[in-house]
Amino acid sequence: MNMPNTPVTGALRWLLRAEALAVLLGSLWAYSRWGGSWTQFALCFLLPDVALLAYLINARIGAVAYNLTHSYLGAFALLAWGVHGAQPLVISLALIWIAHIGFDRALGYGLKYSEGFAFTHLGAVGRGRS
C-alpha cells in the first residue's frame, strides 16, 4: 500500500532516531581520531542549515534545498572523494556534515515534504505537530 507523505511512527521512528544518534557519535569519534580542528568543527557544523533560506522562496524549493543538504548521499560522496584524493580538509568537512545530519535526525528533523518545514519523514516537528 503506497501512502505518500506518511511519516514513520512508533518504534520504527525511535529506531531511525537511534541510528542517527549512532551516526552522530560515530562521526564525532572519527573526527576526533582524524585530528580535525574543533574550532573548524564549531564554525562549520551549522553550514548545512543555510539551505533553510530557500524556504523564503517557497516550501517546495525549501524542501528540495534542505533535502539536498541533509541527505547522507552527498556527505558520504564528499567523504569518499576526500579519502580517495587524500584531501584532509575535504575529509574534515565531510565528517562535520555527517555529524550535522546525524544530529538533526536524532532530534527528529527528518527529510522534508513539500507541504512545509514541519512535515518530515520522521513525523511533524515544531508547530506542525498535532
Side-chain angles (χ1 to χ4, degrees), residues 73-104:
L73 290 174
F76 278 102
L78 186 66
L79 181 61
W81 179 48
V83 169
H84 177 71
Q87 300 176 59
L89 177 62
V90 174
I91 293 169
S92 292
L93 292 174
L95 290 171
I96 295 167
W97 190 5
I98 292 165
H100 176 89
I101 297 168
F103 178 77
D104 273 10

Side-chain angles (χ1 to χ4, degrees), residues 49-71:
D49 286 339
V50 170
L52 292 171
L53 294 173
Y55 275 98
L56 296 173
I57 300 168
N58 66 45
R60 185 182 62 77
I61 292 173
V64 168
Y66 183 92
N67 291 343
L68 285 173
T69 60
H70 288 79
S71 167

